[in-house]
Amino acid sequence: MQFRRILREPLLHFLLLGLGLFAWFGRVAPDDDGRRRIVVSQAQVDLLVTQFKGTWNRPPSAAELNGLVDSYVRDEILYREGVALGLDRDDAVVKRRVRQKLDVLFEESIAQNPATDADLQSYLDAKPAAFRQPAIVSFDQIYFGSDADTPLRLEQARAALARGADPGTLGQATLLPSRQDAMPLDLVARDFGEEFAGQLARAPASEWTGPVASGFGVHLVRVIDIQAARSPALVDVREVVAREWENERRKRAHAAAFEKLREQYQVEIQAALPPVPSP
């Protein structure tokens, strides 16, 4: 009778139910041993040694190597616990690092053989303006500044040059070089201004011309030699073309890989976005 009364106790039923649920959860719940087990492989130790050598230019001592392993284990434990707590979610820094690693995986998965000469020649033919080499010019210049009496001094210099005067004795003292040899015209535009470069490109060879305005003032200039802009042969720009070809291939591959991933997601934008203006 006493035994039957115990069997009818609600508390006993509750305990038995709890034990049953605990046993069932232990069978169906995912094994947590993987999260709690950290394996430091020989490959990982070799990587730690390589990283240490790269920083200190020597292999680690036994104590240092043990310290490196301890630090690796500590980092792994803290990382796993942080992930378990959800600390990796909604973190911009973590998202950026994961995105960067995925980009690396994309690049490894889409790696191809280097471009052939036919690939590069086709790319060069399709984008001639991107690789067109600028005109090359050699010239002399005499600087006159931008003072009120500059026009008068410039005319006096013209007359002196016609009489055979030394150009180095004319004009205003300046740190600008009196002669530029084989200077690309785009660099002339960078240093002296677009207007100066344009007038220089149109100036007759071997004659003093001016006034030619720059960002510094006005000049007399004499073009010694000018080589017209040209479209280069592949052999002259192969390295640059190969680099640009590879960059464009990588961008296309990234875009294609992302589009495949994008198709697997249903995106809902629950916000009113402003319309995008037409290009």
Side-chain angles (χ1 to χ4, degrees), residues 66-146:
N66 278 274
L68 293 173
V69 172
D70 288 342
S71 293
Y72 171 79
V73 171
R74 179 180 184 276
D75 290 345
E76 190 67 18
I77 290 173
L78 294 178
Y79 170 75
R80 294 187 187 188
E81 291 300 318
V83 170
L85 292 172
L87 301 182
D88 58 322
R89 293 192 292 270
D90 300 323
D91 188 304
V93 175
V94 173
K95 286 183 178 180
R96 182 168 62 251
R97 289 291 296 156
V98 172
R99 186 171 65 248
Q100 289 170 346
K101 286 191 173 184
L102 190 58
D103 281 340
V104 172
L105 292 178
F106 279 164
E107 292 191 14
E108 291 177 351
S109 65
I110 62 178
Q112 299 179 2
N113 294 328
T116 65
D117 281 352
D119 293 327
L120 298 182
Q121 185 63 59
S122 177
Y123 188 76
L124 177 60
D125 293 341
K127 298 178 178 290
F131 303 100
R132 186 173 176 83
Q133 295 181 336
I136 304 295
V137 61
S138 298
F139 64 95
D140 294 323
Q141 67 85 21
I142 305 173
Y143 176 65
F144 291 90
S146 55

Side-chain angles (χ1 to χ4, degrees), residues 20-273:
L21 289 173
F22 182 79
W24 175 81
F25 183 78
R27 287 179 176 273
V28 302
D31 185 6
D32 195 44
D33 286 347
R35 193 176 70 80
R36 296 293 179 179
R37 183 168 179 259
I38 296 175
V39 177
V40 184
S41 65
Q42 183 61 52
Q44 182 60 51
V45 173
D46 292 342
L47 179 59
L48 294 173
V49 171
T50 299
Q51 292 172 340
F52 186 95
K53 287 181 178 178
T55 302
W56 301 103
N57 296 318
R58 64 174 178 82
S61 66
E64 288 170 333
L65 182 55
N66 278 274
L68 293 173
V69 172
D70 288 342
S71 293
Y72 171 79
V73 171
R74 179 180 184 276
D75 290 345
E76 190 67 18
I77 290 173
L78 294 178
Y79 170 75
R80 294 187 187 188
E81 291 300 318
V83 170
L85 292 172
L87 301 182
D88 58 322
R89 293 192 292 270
D90 300 323
D91 188 304
V93 175
V94 173
K95 286 183 178 180
R96 182 168 62 251
R97 289 291 296 156
V98 172
R99 186 171 65 248
Q100 289 170 346
K101 286 191 173 184
L102 190 58
D103 281 340
V104 172
L105 292 178
F106 279 164
E107 292 191 14
E108 291 177 351
S109 65
I110 62 178
Q112 299 179 2
N113 294 328
T116 65
D117 281 352
D119 293 327
L120 298 182
Q121 185 63 59
S122 177
Y123 188 76
L124 177 60
D125 293 341
K127 298 178 178 290
F131 303 100
R132 186 173 176 83
Q133 295 181 336
I136 304 295
V137 61
S138 298
F139 64 95
D140 294 323
Q141 67 85 21
I142 305 173
Y143 176 65
F144 291 90
S146 55
D147 299 334
D149 61 344
T150 294
L152 175 61
R153 288 189 290 111
L154 193 145
E155 289 304 321
Q156 292 172 342
R158 282 180 183 277
L161 289 170
R163 296 192 299 270
D166 180 2
T169 63
L170 304 174
Q172 181 176 320
T174 177
L175 295 178
L176 295 172
S178 59
R179 170 166 291 192
Q180 293 280 10
D181 290 316
M183 190 175 188
L185 199 61
D186 58 346
L187 295 186
V188 174
R190 182 199 66 186
D191 293 346
F192 290 86
E194 293 286 348
E195 182 181 351
F196 184 96
Q199 291 189 61
L200 200 63
R202 297 187 297 270
S206 304
E207 295 181 15
W208 286 102
T209 304
V212 177
S214 76
F216 307 102
V218 295
H219 311 249
L220 287 176
V221 298
R222 179 174 59 184
V223 174
I224 302 168
D225 179 63
I226 186 166
Q227 301 174 19
R230 65 186 182 90
S231 296
L234 177 60
V235 66
D236 297 325
V237 289
R238 192 181 195 284
E239 183 177 346
V240 177
V241 174
R243 183 174 63 247
E244 293 303 314
W245 180 91
E246 177 63 26
N247 288 339
E248 189 164 310
R249 182 195 68 85
R250 185 181 296 111
K251 290 178 181 178
R252 290 197 306 268
H254 271 84
F258 175 75
E259 283 304 314
K260 289 183 178 179
L261 293 176
R262 179 66 175 77
E263 291 171 358
Q264 303 173 26
Y265 286 82
Q266 181 180 356
V267 179
E268 296 181 9
I269 300 176
Q270 299 178 343
L273 299 180

